[in-house]
Amino acid sequence: MGTTPCNALAQPGRLNKSGIQETNDMRAFKKKASALAMGVGLALTGLGAFGQTAYPCPLVKIISPYPPGGTTDILSRLLAPGLAKELGTTVIVENKGGASSNIGTEFVANAASDGCTILLGNNTGIVINRNLYKLRIDPVKNLAAVGEVASVPLVLYVNTSVPATSVNQLLELIKNNPGKYSYASGGSGSPQHLMGELLKLEKQLDIAHIPYRGQGPALADVLSGQVPLAFETTTAIAAQLNSGRIRALATTGAVRSKGMPDVPTMKELGYPSFVIENWYGVFVPSKTPSHLIKRLNQAVNKVLKSADVAASLSKLGSSDVTGTAEQFTQFIAKELPYWESLVKRSGATVD
């Protein structure tokens, strides 16, 4: 017959649900174990709720290198609320326009590499301006790509006072009235400017370029009739198409835009050189740690795939362009020779 330990016989106990007598020591141990398990559970719950540790910035600034009203500003403000939620911190948009986005782009390139200052840049500031301006930085070398946000075609549009309802009518009107017409753009070197210069070159048009500090001011002056026509992104122009003040004649997409299916493409109309899109993405200073770039990339992609943001981007003419930071970097490398060639072919200069 087995023996029972003396200290167990000496301590008062009670039967548990399994019919085993528990001592005070046993109950104390179970209480500590339960508390420990609860603590671990809460810790795991916290990780599940936040996904990972808190983002190391009390405030994140998205720098939009253009004035309010343009595509970068629209996309920045579309991205900011979701990014704040994903990073668990405050996110604000700050407009730093001027010099065809060079001022804001340089500002971010020279900012601290802590992930707290990010750029919503585009092909103008990253790959085009380096072919037109004497820059104090190299955007490709001094900025690190985080992730692409959108890619949208341009729209050739006119103020409704212009007596043209098609591209061919517009070109004939300009040709028959040399020096009378001008076109607006958000700045020298922008794709909007390059498309205007390419049209001018291919069709031998006498038309002046009027550069602005951003697409917002350029659009405002076409809407008011100060300038008769321009190229603009589907994103910036979408809200104005039903205003009665402008008329869309064609887009520069490879296929018709979902947001404006009744508007033909330039390619359809016999202008194969005019198939381009404006792309936009998030960038940080080049020395930003890789783990912060990865964290930002994951947050940006999650926001872009959220139902409301994805629906908004689709209406604005952009398809899903999400991917890794490495994929975006590779995409930019392929874009460099294309835009360098287009700048030379169009004959564009800084006005």
Side-chain angles (χ1 to χ4, degrees):
M1 188 173 178
T3 57
T4 304
C6 294
N7 63 341
L9 288 173
Q11 294 182 23
R14 63 186 178 191
L15 297 178
N16 63 18
K17 292 180 180 179
S18 301
I20 299 173
Q21 188 177 37
E22 289 185 348
T23 66
N24 290 338
D25 285 346
M26 290 171 68
R27 288 197 297 273
F29 175 78
K30 284 179 68 177
K31 189 174 182 180
K32 289 181 180 179
S34 177
L36 179 62
M38 184 177 291
V40 171
L42 287 172
L44 291 174
T45 299
L47 286 173
F50 296 101
Q52 47 197 317
T53 56
Y55 194 71
C57 301
L59 174 68
V60 172
K61 287 185 179 181
I62 299 177
I63 303 300
S64 173
Y66 294 96
T71 306
T72 53
D73 183 62
I74 293 169
L75 293 174
S76 296
R77 296 181 192 282
L78 186 63
L79 190 64
L83 204 57
K85 181 181 178 182
E86 291 301 321
L87 297 178
T89 190
T90 301
V91 177
I92 64 170
V93 176
E94 186 174 320
N95 296 89
K96 284 189 177 294
S100 192
S101 82
N102 291 331
I103 292 174
T105 301
E106 182 179 323
F107 176 82
V108 176
N110 291 328
S113 301
D114 53 8
C116 300
T117 304
I118 66 179
L119 174 73
L120 199 301
N122 63 3
N123 41 6
T124 299
I126 305 300
V127 298
I128 298 176
N129 285 349
R130 62 207 307 272
N131 300 295
L132 288 165
Y133 294 84
K134 291 182 179 179
L135 302 176
R136 291 180 289 191
I137 62 158
D138 183 341
V140 176
K141 293 180 180 178
N142 298 122
L143 290 166
V146 172
E148 192 172 0
V149 170
S151 183
V152 296
L154 302 180
V155 181
L156 173 57
Y157 72 107
V158 297
N159 182 276
T160 49
S161 64
V162 176
T165 58
S166 70
V167 173
N168 287 339
Q169 285 181 6
L170 175 65
L171 298 182
E172 186 178 355
L173 189 66
I174 296 172
K175 197 129 191 170
N176 292 337
N177 295 274
K180 180 180 178 180
Y181 287 93
S182 59
Y183 75 95
S185 86
S188 297
S190 64
Q192 292 87 336
H193 172 213
L194 296 183
M195 288 295 95
E197 290 302 297
L198 192 59
L199 198 63
K200 179 179 174 181
L201 179 68
E202 288 196 359
K203 296 301 173 182
Q204 297 297 300
L205 303 176
D206 182 2
I207 182 172
H209 171 224
I210 311 295
Y212 287 77
R213 293 182 67 249
Q215 288 306 124
L219 175 59
D221 270 11
V222 179
L223 284 166
S224 68
Q226 294 293 318
V227 184
L229 64 115
F231 281 92
E232 181 52 276
T233 64
T234 53
T235 306
I237 205 174
Q240 301 295 340
L241 283 177
N242 296 321
S243 68
R245 294 188 288 171
I246 56 174
R247 182 185 304 120
L249 302 182
T251 69
T252 64
V255 296
R256 294 196 181 197
S257 172
K258 291 180 181 179
M260 46 187 78
D262 296 331
V263 180
T265 67
M266 292 289 286
K267 183 180 179 181
E268 278 180 66
L269 300 175
Y271 302 94
S273 301
F274 294 81
V275 180
I276 71 156
E277 290 199 353
N278 252 27
W279 53 258
Y280 303 81
V282 172
F283 298 83
V284 291
S286 59
K287 294 182 180 179
T288 302
S290 59
H291 72 277
L292 289 180
I293 292 176
K294 185 176 181 180
R295 178 77 184 279
L296 279 170
N297 173 268
Q298 291 171 343
V300 168
N301 284 343
K302 196 165 182 181
V303 174
L304 295 179
K305 286 182 177 296
S306 64
D308 55 339
V309 173
S312 295
L313 287 172
S314 180
K315 287 179 182 178
L316 295 172
S318 178
S319 55
D320 182 3
V321 294
T322 54
T324 65
E326 292 76 17
Q327 288 172 328
F328 190 31
T329 301
Q330 292 166 6
F331 168 77
I332 291 169
K334 292 178 180 178
E335 286 281 285
L336 287 169
Y338 170 80
W339 290 102
E340 181 181 0
S341 173
L342 185 56
V343 168
K344 289 179 180 178
R345 187 154 49 96
S346 70
T349 58
V350 176
D351 292 284

